[in-house]
């Protein structure tokens, strides 16, 4: 049977060696790896800021840092984690994997891809340099609500640098989103119909649609804020007829969909890992894809749930409450399908599977405690308490971060030809899992006890101390777990033998049908695509295919 021959790249990249090979590359795989390295580095920085925050909160009346410094730390912790880690890390996996998974030789616009990558460290320089300017970094929370962020209340240039950094990141992610969409629309291998695309590809597509439609709204509102601060406009200044609620409306029109920009890639990763380590096809492939799309669409209909407590009209509140709760339906469908995939499977308990199951467990908690927020009267009670902080971390840490690590352990052999160490990997998992629950479960209790979010210190007498102590201990356990990961990572890169081979896990998707690491143009020959599991078909011998056997 004929195998699909892959056309040669249309532009022949020039070859450099050493560091220049990486700096000047337009190869989506190198770009993807650099995305991952940068974003994980930023996760570590964000993590250090989180430890500073937790140190201050460990007990009542602790003031290791001034309140002003504390406000900068928690604002920059959240901003770093969101804008420099979770959002770009999804694009990092997308860059490495999407062309491989659809059987393409590169992204549609390789140079724009390189630009999207390098804008990230540039933005980071803007954002972090703000610690060293007069007045310090941004300090009004990652939402930077006006009027707190107007010049009167936030003098100095910290907020301006924050705005510029986030704007640069916006350009980066819109460029990346368009690139993913065009690549998926125009560069799929023969036979790779939309209904056969890997779920990960589906999720990157939905994410990219969200990025392309939502990010410009953030860009507008931040431009207005920048003008208010520097050019004398009064969009958000109530003393001059401006409207602070307009800031919130526009901000959340971006930031709610952004929640799904942060979580859908992780859902895609988990949807690839679970079937492979359950030795079964994904249960309800189509339902998982449609549920992802439904989440994307509903994501644009619910932003006002972030503003319940601002006194919206009753009809608006009611409609938003309904649409918000409807998101639980497709999320539940996915959860059901993931569990159905494992049901009666022959489960293989390797590290990627641990993290994928950890994702299911923690994301479920984050989903359930989110529904509480959707119920307006309950939200009035828990809004702006530590319940919010707990919910955010179950979704973003338990969800996104566990998904990211599932992906790292799963695709590391493809990227390097080497396996990360299993014992160290599982130690990493268990410490992170226990630390995560110790750090964030008590925050639910603290929220119910009325501890407000974003406070630099608190008086004794509320009974908050012990819960905060547990939470801080949990945070440090997470930090230790990351040391195990880093040791594993560097040790493996430095000294492990290349034993992984092309298809170490017996995968389903096309990236396993090429060498590890793949050659510059990705495939010498592709197996024909007849289902959503082309690599499985090829291995099952439905046609004669040998990886590396050149077809031209
Ligand atoms: C070691 C792990 C982490 C710890 C101990 C931690 C701790 C905290 C704490 C204590 C706060 C509240 C600060 C305050 O209100 O004064 C906070 C806020 C926040 N964190 Fe983390 N965090 C961690 C990891 C992450 C990760 C991985 C993400 C995202 C991927 C993240 C995203 C956020 C966000 C968005 C906020 C702002 C919440 C709000 O608006 O009130 N954090 N974190
Ligand atoms: Cu929301």
């Amino acid at each position: 049977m004929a195998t699909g021959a892959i056309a040669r790249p249309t532009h022949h990249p020039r070859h450099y060696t050493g560091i220049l090979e990486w700096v000047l590359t337009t190869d989506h795989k190198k770009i993807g790896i650099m995305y991952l390295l940068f974003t994980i580095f930023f996760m570590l920085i964000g993590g250090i800021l989180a430890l500073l925050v937790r140190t201050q909160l460990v007990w009542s009346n602790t003031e290791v840092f001034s309140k002003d410094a504390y406000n900068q730390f928690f604002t920059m912790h959240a901003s770093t984690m969101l804008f420099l880690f979770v959002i770009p890390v999804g694009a990092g996996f997308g860059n490495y994997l999407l062309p491989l998974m659809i059987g393409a030789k590169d992204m549609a616009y390789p140079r724009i891809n390189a630009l999207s990558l390098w804008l990230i460290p540039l933005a980071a320089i803007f954002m972090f340099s703000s610690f060293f300017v007069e007045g310090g970094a941004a300090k009004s929370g990652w939402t930077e609500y006006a009027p707190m962020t107007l010049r009167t209340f936030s003098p100095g240039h910290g907020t301006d640098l924050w705005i510029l950094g986030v704007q640069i990141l916006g350009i980066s992610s819109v460029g990346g989103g368009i690139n993913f969409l065009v690549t998926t629309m125009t560069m799929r291998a023969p036979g790779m119909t939309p209904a056969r695309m890997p779920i990960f590809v589906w999720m990157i597509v939905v994410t990219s649609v969200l990025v392309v439609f939502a990010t410009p709204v953030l860009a507008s509102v931040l431009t207005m804020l920048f003008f208010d601060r520097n050019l004398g406009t009064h969009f958000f200044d109530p003393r001059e007829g401006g409207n602070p609620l307009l800031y919130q409306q526009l901000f959340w029109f971006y930031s709610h969909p952004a929640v799904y920009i942060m979580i859908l890639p992780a859902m895609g990763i988990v949807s690839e890992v679970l079937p492979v380590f359950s030795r079964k096809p994904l249960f309800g492939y189509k339902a998982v894809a449609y549920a992802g799309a439904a989440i994307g669409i509903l994501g644009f209909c619910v932003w006002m749930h972030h503003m319940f407590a601002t006194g919206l009209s009753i009809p608006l509140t009611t409609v938003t409450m309904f649409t918000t709760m409807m998101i639980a339906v497709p999320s539940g469908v996915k959860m059901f399908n993931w569990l159905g995939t494992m049901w009666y499977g022959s489960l293989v308990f390797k590290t990627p599977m641990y993290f994928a199951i950890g994702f299911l467990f923690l994301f479920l908690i984050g989903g359930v405690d989110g529904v509480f927020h959707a119920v307006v009267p309950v939200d009035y009670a828990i809004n702006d308490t530590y319940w919010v902080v707990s919910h955010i971390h179950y979704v973003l840490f338990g969800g996104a971060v566990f998904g990211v690590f599932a992906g790292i352990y799963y695709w590391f052999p493809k990227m390097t030809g080497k396996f990360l160490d299993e014992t160290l990997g599982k130690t990493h998992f268990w410490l992170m899992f226990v630390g995560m629950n110790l750090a964030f479960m008590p925050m639910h209790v603290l929220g119910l006890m009325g501890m407000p979010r974003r406070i630099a210190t608190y008086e004794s007498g509320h009974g908050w101390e012990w819960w905060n102590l547990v939470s801080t201990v949990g945070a440090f356990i997470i930090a230790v777990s990351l040391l195990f990961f880093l040791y594993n990572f560097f040790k493996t890169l430095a000294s492990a033998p290349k034993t992984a081979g092309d298809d170490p896990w017996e995968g389903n998707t096309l990236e396993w049908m090429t060498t590890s690491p793949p050659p510059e143009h990705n495939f010498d020959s592709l197996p024909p695509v007849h289902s959503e599991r082309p690599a499985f078909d090829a291995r099952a011998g439905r046609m004669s295919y040998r990886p590396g056997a050149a077809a031209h």
Side-chain angles (χ1 to χ4, degrees):
M1 190 185 270
T3 53
I6 297 301
R8 285 279 159 191
T10 41
H11 85 279
H12 287 271
R14 249 187 294 161
H15 282 278
Y16 299 91
T17 48
I19 186 95
L20 278 187
E21 181 190 338
W22 288 84
V23 174
L24 298 175
T25 187
T26 54
D27 176 351
H28 74 96
K29 297 183 290 301
K30 289 206 174 69
I31 290 177
I33 288 175
M34 283 189 282
Y35 256 98
L36 294 175
L37 293 176
F38 279 137
T39 50
I40 288 168
F41 174 72
F42 295 135
M43 179 194 74
L44 297 175
I45 306 253
I48 292 170
L49 290 165
L51 294 182
L52 299 181
V53 166
R54 280 307 333 165
T55 304
Q56 175 104 330
L57 295 177
V58 64
W59 203 256
S60 54
N61 298 310
T62 313
E63 208 166 318
V64 189
F65 312 105
S66 68
K67 292 195 169 64
D68 191 64
Y70 177 89
N71 290 345
Q72 296 175 39
F73 291 159
F74 93 75
T75 299
M76 290 304 287
H77 157 68
S79 310
T80 305
M81 287 297 191
L82 298 175
F83 297 117
L84 286 169
F85 168 56
V86 242
I87 295 180
V89 80
F93 279 103
N95 261 303
Y96 190 90
L97 292 167
L98 185 132
L100 284 166
M101 283 183 158
I102 62 173
K105 61 197 182 303
D106 203 336
M107 295 280 282
Y109 307 117
R111 292 190 188 89
I112 293 183
N113 208 21
L115 178 68
S116 296
L117 167 73
W118 290 106
L119 287 175
I120 293 172
L122 178 70
I125 292 170
F126 273 90
M127 290 174 74
F128 291 132
S129 65
S130 64
F131 275 114
F132 307 102
V133 299
E134 210 188 315
K139 55 189 107 181
S140 311
W142 70 278
T143 48
E144 291 291 289
Y145 276 173
M148 270 190 303
T149 43
L150 298 181
R151 193 156 292 290
T152 327
F153 304 109
S154 298
H157 282 298
T159 305
D160 297 317
L161 287 166
W162 184 93
I163 293 174
L164 290 171
V166 174
Q167 295 284 42
I168 293 170
L169 290 167
I171 298 171
S172 161
S173 55
V174 171
I178 293 175
N179 223 337
F180 287 131
L181 291 175
V182 176
T183 307
T184 314
M185 281 192 282
T186 61
M187 294 174 70
R188 296 193 309 274
M192 180 63 74
T193 59
R196 292 176 189 159
M197 293 189 319
I199 292 292
F200 178 78
V201 173
W202 268 104
M203 293 308 111
I204 291 292
V205 166
V206 177
T207 305
S208 301
V209 172
L210 296 179
V211 164
V212 169
F213 282 95
T215 311
V217 180
L218 179 70
S220 322
V221 67
L222 292 186
T223 305
M224 290 156 85
L225 181 61
F226 194 85
F227 283 4
D228 271 12
R229 289 178 54 82
N230 296 299
L231 299 180
T233 57
H234 303 291
F235 292 110
F236 307 126
D237 188 348
R239 292 167 311 181
E240 303 282 345
N243 183 358
L245 280 186
L246 176 64
Y247 181 91
Q248 297 193 23
Q249 294 282 4
L250 294 174
F251 180 84
W252 286 109
F253 186 83
Y254 163 79
S255 288
H256 185 81
V259 174
Y260 302 102
I261 296 173
M262 298 167 201
I263 197 70
L264 285 166
M267 289 179 160
I269 291 172
V270 168
S271 305
E272 300 301 334
V273 169
L274 286 174
V276 169
F277 292 92
S278 305
R279 299 273 171 259
K280 275 178 63 194
L282 182 67
F283 179 78
Y285 164 90
K286 284 218 170 102
V288 178
Y290 289 144
I295 289 176
I297 294 165
L298 283 171
F300 277 110
C301 309
V302 303
W303 78 92
M304 269 182 282
H305 63 208
H306 294 274
M307 303 173 63
F308 282 155
T310 61
L312 299 170
S313 73
I314 299 290
L316 274 183
T317 307
T318 316
V319 169
T320 308
M321 177 160 116
F322 261 105
T323 44
T324 300
M325 293 207 279
M326 269 161 66
I327 288 201
V329 176
S331 308
V333 168
K334 277 179 181 274
M335 193 56 80
F336 178 72
N337 284 290
W338 289 323
L339 294 176
T341 305
M342 292 198 291
W343 198 253
Y344 282 104
S346 21
L347 306 190
V348 182
F349 286 105
K350 298 282 187 187
T351 310
M353 185 64 163
Y354 275 53
F355 277 97
I357 296 175
F359 169 101
L360 294 187
F361 185 83
L362 299 169
F363 186 72
L364 181 67
I365 298 178
V368 170
D369 65 16
V371 175
F372 284 78
H373 273 296
V375 182
V376 176
V378 181
D379 182 70
Y380 285 158
I382 57 182
N383 180 60
D384 273 333
T385 69
Y386 256 76
W387 183 283
V388 183
V389 184
S390 178
H391 163 66
I392 287 176
H393 289 85
Y394 269 93
V395 174
L396 289 180
F397 199 124
V401 176
F402 275 69
V404 162
F405 279 113
I408 289 174
Y409 283 93
Y410 181 54
W411 281 296
F412 190 87
K414 178 50 59 185
M415 296 177 182
T416 63
K418 299 174 174 190
F419 285 113
L420 286 164
D421 183 89
E422 278 289 310
T423 313
L424 289 171
K426 284 170 183 164
T427 315
H428 167 198
F429 170 81
W430 281 115
L431 285 173
M432 192 174 241
F433 186 81
V434 170
M436 139 97 219
N437 284 296
L438 283 180
F440 301 113
M441 194 52 91
M443 291 186 187
H444 283 122
V445 184
L446 285 168
L448 294 177
M449 291 167 99
M451 178 166 162
R453 84 205 253 208
R454 300 175 177 174
I455 50 171
T457 184
Y458 49 91
E459 301 291 312
S460 57
H462 300 291
W464 296 345
E465 281 93 341
W466 289 103
W467 296 107
N468 273 299
L469 179 66
V470 174
S471 179
T472 299
V473 169
F476 279 89
I477 294 178
I478 296 172
V480 173
S481 81
L482 284 168
L483 295 180
F484 277 86
F485 169 71
L486 290 175
Y487 175 68
N488 195 357
F489 181 83
F490 287 112
K491 193 192 75 144
T492 306
L493 277 187
S495 60
K498 288 202 173 188
T499 51
D502 296 343
D503 184 16
W505 315 115
E506 308 202 333
N508 294 326
T509 36
L510 285 180
E511 76 273 23
W512 305 108
M513 293 282 94
T514 181
T515 52
S516 307
E520 183 163 303
H521 52 278
N522 290 348
F523 297 96
D524 288 326
S525 74
L526 272 176
V529 181
H530 292 308
S531 76
E532 79 271 11
R533 296 199 296 165
F536 177 87
D537 298 343
R539 236 191 352 268
R542 290 243 297 271
M543 16 68 59
S544 60
Y545 170 79
R546 280 178 300 116
H552 41 244

